[in-house]
Amino acid sequence: MPQDTTNPSTGTAEQRTATDTTVQLRAGWQGRFYEDFAVGDVYKHPYGRTVTETDNVWFTNLTMNANPMHFNAAYASGTEFDERLVNGLFVIALSVGMSVVDVSANATANLGYDDIQHHAPVFHGDTLFAESEVLSKRESESRPHVGMVTTELRTYTQDGELVLSLERTPMVRKRGAADPSAARPPGWPAGVGTQPDAERTVPDGESR
């Protein structure tokens, strides 16, 4: 049976027939490489994240943080915040994680975190959103396949309140060194999954 498809460049409907055996392998988002960064660019990272009580308690226990502000509701109710605070290190980890898709998906190392500031507390139920601004970039003198990119990461609540800012400097691969392709995006071993010379599988009962 013919299969309806849509041409992404024209938006028009097309049909693939049983005689079409060519696999159309298209590259997905592969992250930014060193050449893709420009000073002054701002990336608003996708997928805000709502922080739950479970996030806070598990992270606090996992990291052996004994401050009762994160897990003792009776104690926290007697403070100026009147409730438990989300662990600040969790806010940092979550914010950095949200930025990876745009900033450091192709990084080989994080060289440092600087000027970390908690501007306001985060509470259970807050939804966090993050953005990164490129502050500087430079090529590595000792590793020609990478360059250093410094960004300022800023995190906001659903109400637009700035809760965190920090600078971080990942060491990011250059595109030529990574040599990404639709068949082998970053992180994939060679030969795994659909390949450009593959033929489309025809279901039983269809003819070519």
Side-chain angles (χ1 to χ4, degrees), residues 28-33 36-37 100-106 175 180 186:
W29 175 244
Q30 298 180 344
R32 287 183 173 84
F33 295 90
D36 300 323
F37 292 92
V100 168
V101 66
D102 286 315
V103 174
S104 55
N106 292 303
R175 186 176 297 277

Side-chain angles (χ1 to χ4, degrees), residues 56-90:
N56 191 29
V57 173
W58 279 14
F59 186 89
T60 297
N61 290 339
L62 181 66
T63 55
M64 298 180 65
N65 187 325
N67 190 316
M69 280 299 298
H70 304 310
F71 56 80
N72 187 325
Y75 176 88
S77 67
T79 69
E80 65 269 33
F81 299 106
D82 199 38
E83 60 180 297
R84 287 168 291 171
L85 301 181
V86 173
N87 191 314
L89 290 176
F90 175 80

Side-chain angles (χ1 to χ4, degrees), residues 37-43 132-137 149-152:
F37 292 92
V39 174
D41 282 356
V42 176
Y43 313 124
S132 293
E133 179 177 352
V134 182
L135 301 181
S136 65
K137 58 181 289 189
V149 180
T150 298
T151 63
E152 181 182 55

Side-chain angles (χ1 to χ4, degrees), residues 2-205:
Q3 179 182 1
D4 289 331
T5 60
T6 300
N7 187 317
S9 61
T10 64
T12 58
E14 299 178 344
Q15 280 193 337
R16 170 177 288 181
T17 66
T19 58
D20 295 330
T21 60
T22 303
V23 171
Q24 296 184 13
L25 192 59
R26 301 186 185 278
W29 175 244
Q30 298 180 344
R32 287 183 173 84
F33 295 90
Y34 176 76
E35 298 89 341
D36 300 323
F37 292 92
V39 174
D41 282 356
V42 176
Y43 313 124
K44 301 185 78 169
H45 309 306
Y47 314 121
R49 171 71 150 74
T50 301
V51 180
T52 68
E53 179 181 10
T54 300
D55 293 328
N56 191 29
V57 173
W58 279 14
F59 186 89
T60 297
N61 290 339
L62 181 66
T63 55
M64 298 180 65
N65 187 325
N67 190 316
M69 280 299 298
H70 304 310
F71 56 80
N72 187 325
Y75 176 88
S77 67
T79 69
E80 65 269 33
F81 299 106
D82 199 38
E83 60 180 297
R84 287 168 291 171
L85 301 181
V86 173
N87 191 314
L89 290 176
F90 175 80
V91 176
I92 294 172
L94 175 59
S95 300
V96 171
M98 287 193 289
S99 74
V100 168
V101 66
D102 286 315
V103 174
S104 55
N106 292 303
T108 58
N110 271 303
L111 301 183
Y113 297 86
D114 299 289
D115 196 20
I116 301 172
Q117 298 185 56
H118 292 283
H119 299 279
V122 175
F123 301 100
H124 300 157
D126 278 340
T127 301
L128 301 184
F129 302 87
E131 65 181 13
S132 293
E133 179 177 352
V134 182
L135 301 181
S136 65
K137 58 181 289 189
R138 65 180 178 87
E139 297 191 23
S140 171
E141 296 180 358
S142 59
R143 295 178 174 85
H145 62 288
V146 297
M148 278 67 77
V149 180
T150 298
T151 63
E152 181 182 55
L153 173 61
R154 300 183 289 264
T155 305
Y156 306 88
T157 67
Q158 68 280 356
D159 299 318
E161 183 176 22
L162 178 67
V163 295
L164 173 74
S165 64
L166 60 84
E167 294 180 11
R168 73 183 187 103
T169 304
M171 190 164 62
V172 182
R173 298 181 77 186
K174 294 181 179 178
R175 186 176 297 277
D179 193 26
S181 67
R184 190 181 182 185
W188 277 68
V192 174
T194 301
Q195 299 301 305
D197 57 353
E199 289 194 349
R200 182 173 67 91
T201 301
V202 177
D204 292 342

